[in-house]
Amino acid sequence: MVKGIFNRVKKRLKGEENFSPDNPSAEFASVGPLSSMLGPSGRITLASLKWYFNESSKKDFIAFVQNPVLVGSALNAESLAAMEHSYDEPAENRSLTKSGKTMVVNIDDHLSKRSGPGSSLPYAIYPLMKRLDAQSPPLIFTLGRTRGNDMIMKDLAISKRHAVIRISKGSFFIEDCRSTNGTRIKGRRIAEKPVLLNDKDVIELGNYKFTFLHPSSLHDLLNKI
């Protein structure tokens, strides 16, 4: 099934001008070939990325990923080599954060990372690409704990609407949404004013860290395993 989906994606990339990596107008679209591969929380599985990485050229891989991704802090070359399955949220944990209030956390306290609904977040990959059923406005990606966000992070350290990433004039900007535990770039807490994101910037949401990677940098990371 996965192979069939990727074969269709390859044909789409080669046959439709809008998804060509050489087409500047499509470089930062909200929806692209990867959209059909996203799970309900806005993630893509590592297994899917590794399969396409192994089956395609670097140019095709970059065209497929198209936009930057947010990669969890545990996804370094060593741990990637040992992982073979998706880390989407287990069904039994979903009820724990359905209606709870945001929990105030100590940023230096790592206890909440050991177990519970948010335990998979260090292993998550969130492409800055919308699901096909997304209802949010184009060129805006919402990050938060509850349904309706483009990137759902089910942990009480994450606010219901924690942050927003916007595409503007070919660049990506992040802003905090008055979240309880804050959003940090390079260790500094940001406010509602948009902050430009650069390749390999580390974003902290509550006490979880994600690296902002352009498709070429993601390819380089996968190339190490």
Side-chain angles (χ1 to χ4, degrees), residues 201-215:
D201 274 352
V202 175
I203 302 170
E204 297 180 57
L205 304 167
N207 55 8
Y208 293 97
K209 294 182 180 181
F210 295 87
T211 304
F212 177 83
L213 293 180
H214 287 175

Side-chain angles (χ1 to χ4, degrees), residues 70 128 139-141 143 163-167 172-174 197:
L70 301 184
L128 285 170
L139 305 182
I140 295 176
F141 299 87
L143 294 72
V164 173
I165 295 177
R166 305 177 188 274
I167 305 176
F172 289 77
F173 296 84
I174 189 170
L197 289 171

Side-chain angles (χ1 to χ4, degrees), residues 47-112:
S48 297
L49 282 176
K50 287 174 65 176
W51 192 95
Y52 196 81
F53 171 84
N54 290 328
E55 295 294 322
S56 63
S57 66
K58 184 172 183 178
K59 181 179 180 180
D60 283 346
F61 180 85
I62 290 173
F64 170 65
V65 178
Q66 192 168 335
N67 285 354
V69 301
L70 301 184
V71 177
S73 58
L75 296 182
N76 51 50
E78 291 74 21
S79 58
L80 281 173
M83 295 166 55
E84 296 180 354
H85 58 280
S86 167
Y87 285 86
D88 249 339
E89 213 62 59
E92 61 267 25
N93 289 334
R94 292 173 187 167
S95 61
L96 297 179
T97 57
K98 184 175 292 186
S99 59
K101 294 182 179 179
T102 305
M103 180 186 301
V104 179
V105 299
N106 183 338
I107 300 304
D108 296 323
D109 179 11
H110 299 288
L111 290 177
S112 62

